Amino acid sequence: MTQDKAYLETMFGLGGQRALITGSSQGIGLALARGLAQAGAQVVLNGRDAARLEQARETLAAELPEAEITTLVFDATRHDDVRAAIDGFEARTGAIDILVNNAGMQHRTPLEDFPADRFEALLQTNIASVFHVGQAVARHMIGRGRGKIINICSVQTALARPGIAPYTATKGAVANLTKGMATDWARHGLQCNAIAPGYFDTPLNAALVADPEFSGWLEKRTPAGRWGKVDELVGACVFLSSGASSFVNGHVLYVDGAISVSL
């Protein structure tokens, strides 16, 4: 029994690892930060709003008094700012071993009326940020010969719904960028994968959760029969962050109650 526990801790434990999670002041990002901290990682929260980020840090610190939780404020859509923040953090504090590219946004409008500025914002927030932060962190990981990058996709990576065509396009692009990262960086010892959540009860989906008609449709459409809970994404993230996934690369892991495989 002791040997089995030690084996699991070796394979899945994240002690001594440091994880940066973008867009982690709330929702999925905060849940993943909490889960990685519970698995033993030192956690670095990221966002653009310093006050909200500090509030999230205080929340996690109160829940997990033994965990090491810090913040790093930068705008993931601004390439030069990202590079300066990551380089500065690595020089001052130490290695980022795990990167979770979670920052994202949504805008719902029929495609024929979709505002061009909202389209551009989606491109920058959902795709460009993954490139900016991924490249900045990977440059350091490559030098060390190891690292984990986890990009947050969506069930819309594979499926579309009315009113969110640009979002669907961005999440499809994140999946292919993940494959490209793995293709370029696997030889340097990095594992680059993605998690594709289905429909989860998050602030981003608050309007849909509050809509009885949509929730009723979703419960019938999803084989699991319900919305996902953000804590149900933690296991996938810990797996992809840990030694257990040492030969998993370029993979998109759907966590969606089977909605993406059913008609």
Side-chain angles (χ1 to χ4, degrees):
M1 180 68 72
T2 302
Q3 289 180 337
D4 290 344
K5 182 178 180 181
Y7 172 76
L8 289 175
E9 288 177 349
T10 299
M11 290 296 287
F12 293 96
L14 301 179
Q17 304 291 299
R18 182 179 289 110
L20 168 65
I21 305 95
T22 68
S24 47
S25 63
Q26 64 176 356
I28 288 174
L30 183 59
L32 296 181
R34 179 183 292 109
L36 293 175
Q38 290 171 328
Q42 302 168 35
V43 166
V44 184
L45 305 177
N46 162 258
R48 292 179 293 187
D49 188 324
R52 289 180 61 187
L53 211 57
E54 178 58 22
Q55 185 176 27
R57 190 201 65 77
E58 290 175 357
T59 297
L60 288 188
E63 295 174 5
L64 306 167
E66 300 301 317
E68 182 177 326
I69 302 163
T70 58
T71 63
L72 185 60
V73 180
F74 62 81
D75 184 340
T77 70
R78 299 176 67 86
H79 184 83
D80 291 344
D81 292 354
V82 169
R83 182 74 182 275
I86 297 299
D87 289 352
F89 182 89
E90 288 253 350
R92 292 189 311 272
T93 307
I96 296 169
D97 306 289
I98 301 159
L99 167 63
V100 182
N101 273 313
N102 170 74
M105 66 173 291
Q106 174 65 288
H107 185 84
R108 297 179 177 90
T109 305
L111 185 57
E112 64 272 20
D113 299 319
F114 209 94
D117 63 336
R118 293 293 83 200
F119 181 75
E120 292 296 333
L122 280 165
L123 294 179
Q124 290 302 312
T125 303
N126 294 357
I127 303 174
S129 70
V130 176
F131 166 74
H132 297 324
V133 185
Q135 184 190 69
V137 172
R139 283 173 166 161
H140 294 278
M141 290 178 169
I142 288 169
R144 292 187 286 267
R146 58 181 173 79
K148 301 279 189 174
I149 296 178
I150 302 164
N151 300 323
I152 303 303
C153 291
S154 167
V155 69
Q156 266 76 49
T157 294
L159 303 173
R161 282 194 64 252
I164 58 168
Y167 179 85
T168 300
T170 65
K171 290 303 183 178
V174 172
N176 274 340
L177 182 53
T178 301
K179 296 173 186 178
M181 287 177 171
T183 301
D184 277 10
W185 297 337
R187 65 181 178 271
H188 298 295
L190 279 62
Q191 287 88 51
C192 306
N193 295 288
I195 298 171
Y199 283 88
F200 280 75
D201 186 352
T202 67
L204 200 65
N205 286 328
L208 298 180
V209 174
D211 183 343
E213 183 178 354
F214 184 88
S215 285
W217 170 85
L218 179 69
E219 289 165 5
K220 292 178 181 178
R221 175 66 180 80
T222 305
R226 61 177 176 83
W227 287 88
K229 302 172 185 177
V230 290
D231 290 346
E232 292 176 299
L233 293 166
V234 169
C237 192
V238 170
F239 165 64
L240 293 176
S241 298
S242 72
S245 59
S246 60
F247 204 58
V248 179
N249 231 328
H251 180 68
V252 180
L253 175 55
Y254 284 82
V255 184
D256 64 358
I259 194 172
S260 63
V261 298
S262 66
L263 291 173

